[in-house]
Amino acid sequence: MVVVVATEAAGAGSASRAEAEWKDPKRYAWLLGLVVPAIPFLAWGLVGLTGLDVFWWLGPVLIFGVFPAFDLLFGEDPTNPPESAMPRLAKDRFYMWANLLFIPIQYASLIVGSALLVRESMSVADRIGFATTIGMIGGIGIAAAHEMGHRREKVEVFLAKVTLAQTGYGHFVVEHNRGHHARVATPEDPATARMGESFYRFLPRTIFGGILSCWRLEKGRLARKGKSPWTPRNNVLQGWLVTAALFGVLAAVFGLELLPYLVLQAVLGFMMLEVVNYLEHYGLLRRKNANGGYERTAPEHSWNSNRVASNVLLYNLQRHSDHHANPGRRYQMLRDFPDAPQLPAGYATMILRAVVPPWWFHVMDKKVLEHYDGDITRCNVHPAKRAKLLARYGAAAR
């Protein structure tokens, strides 16, 4: 007995030492996320090197062609940092700077890209391709801004607004933090897609619903302080004014002919955000309590993905289940949970499926039902498709 106890104690001691000595194996891999905002520079360089104008379209080629291949190549990593390492990870400023450095590279790409877009040597098709590349970088930049916007430090929240200015989505900080996180996985949330709802039906609902929601939230906050919403302290107006100032300066420097391409890249950028919103909570539903409120948000209310390549490039955004359960956690600390529903692929691949509704429904409706043990009455079903889906899956109406 003494030997057994001693052996167990020695084993526990070894495990404790191993946890204390744990080092993040992806520590320097997080810097690869800074390659993303440099893609417009890479496109420009490849066009100059090869003379092939097709490289102006490098953004969508990499994001929807190469990145999914990286996901397949590098596979999944469901491992989590040990709890003993969490305080150390939270205090390590390396991760914050790996996130913040996205901004200067993003803005350098936008400014240089704006100068290139007005060159007479570029055709309209080339300009559209390059604006698409720039816009997709702005869309991925929202992932960087998302990480900053959840921090308590005012500087990081301000920098989140700066990052979002390129896509005209400065209001995202208000709506995401105070609206989406409060209503996620409920029919009341405009950013939660319902089972049977296509991305194209979801898109106007989430765009306009999010704008109305964040305005009401900010108007209410200011009213409680006895202030009008028409004030520089309105966080929604701040975000939009930063975009107006940014576009105004760029148009003044490079010419008004730049404006259509700035608008195009902004639209493509925020559509990247909204298609990610579409897949992150599709069909998931929080149950109501006896008092009429919703149960606490848990890992089971967000779709998760442990694809290594995508998570490194997106600041662990795909570990969305832990993010919603613990929104204060920084990206390097997010964990995988056994009860979190898992996407069948990384975000880039799932976006391709989302824009082809029959393909999306074929894959994801089955996944939603599997998550709820075949009980469609537990799913967040689109009202217009409720009768059809209930009939298809043989369930009684709620």
Side-chain angles (χ1 to χ4, degrees), residues 24 54 113 126 133 147 178 183 194 216 271 284 296 395:
D24 181 3
V54 70
D126 293 341
T133 292
E147 175 65 24
R178 290 160 51 198
R183 299 183 300 244
R194 301 155 181 172
R216 289 172 185 147
M271 285 184 67
L284 301 179
R296 184 182 183 277

Side-chain angles (χ1 to χ4, degrees), residues 46-311:
L46 287 172
V47 170
L49 184 65
T50 65
L52 298 175
D53 291 335
V54 70
F55 282 111
W56 294 121
W57 294 85
L58 185 64
V61 171
L62 286 178
I63 293 169
F64 297 120
V66 177
F67 290 176
F70 283 168
D71 272 340
L72 290 174
L73 179 63
F74 293 103
E76 298 186 64
D77 177 17
T79 60
N80 298 324
E83 286 299 320
S84 61
M86 291 298 189
R88 179 159 43 93
L89 282 173
K91 295 176 182 178
D92 193 334
R93 309 287 279 184
F94 169 85
Y95 297 98
M96 181 192 74
W97 284 108
N99 181 221
L100 296 183
L101 285 173
F102 192 102
I103 304 172
I105 305 172
Q106 173 194 358
Y107 267 79
S109 293
L110 177 61
I111 294 168
V112 173
S114 296
L116 294 172
L117 282 168
V118 297
R119 293 195 311 180
E120 293 183 0
S121 59
M122 287 188 75
S123 68
V124 172
D126 293 341
R127 290 174 180 173
I128 292 173
F130 196 42
T132 299
T133 292
I134 294 170
M136 288 189 168
I137 301 317
I140 295 177
I142 296 176
H146 169 264
E147 175 65 24
M148 301 172 207
H150 272 288
R151 307 284 67 87
R152 293 183 178 181
E153 293 79 357
K154 291 184 179 180
V155 172
E156 289 188 73
V157 175
F158 169 75
L159 291 174
K161 295 176 185 177
V162 172
T163 308
L164 292 164
Q166 178 179 337
T167 52
Y169 245 50
H171 62 280
F172 172 78
V173 174
V174 173
E175 171 55 19
H176 180 79
N177 289 15
R178 290 160 51 198
H180 175 58
H181 269 266
R183 299 183 300 244
V184 65
T186 71
E188 290 79 18
D189 180 30
T192 294
R194 301 155 181 172
M195 184 179 180
E197 181 179 31
S198 73
F199 169 63
Y200 304 103
R201 189 184 288 246
F202 169 79
L203 186 61
R205 182 170 72 84
T206 187
I207 291 173
F208 297 112
I211 291 172
L212 288 173
S213 173
C214 70
W215 184 259
R216 289 172 185 147
L217 287 167
E218 195 64 0
K219 182 179 178 181
R221 182 185 73 85
L222 291 166
R224 289 190 292 273
K225 295 183 176 183
K227 299 184 181 297
S228 163
W230 303 103
T231 169
R233 295 187 180 184
N234 185 320
N235 287 297
V236 174
L237 291 179
Q238 285 177 14
W240 293 341
L241 287 172
V242 173
T243 294
L246 174 64
F247 285 18
V249 169
L250 290 174
V253 172
F254 299 111
L256 292 176
E257 63 268 32
L258 177 65
L259 281 177
Y261 300 103
L262 286 178
V263 172
L264 173 61
Q265 67 82 29
V267 170
L268 291 172
F270 71 66
M271 285 184 67
M272 286 276 288
L273 162 71
E274 296 298 4
V275 73
V276 168
N277 272 339
Y278 176 76
L279 60 90
E280 285 177 334
H281 307 281
Y282 178 80
L284 301 179
L285 183 65
R286 286 155 59 197
R287 292 178 174 178
K288 282 193 173 183
N289 299 318
N291 61 6
Y294 287 100
E295 63 181 324
R296 184 182 183 277
T297 304
E300 66 190 66
H301 299 125
S302 306
W303 290 100
N304 202 65
S305 176
N306 289 314
R307 298 286 175 174
V308 175
S310 294
N311 272 327

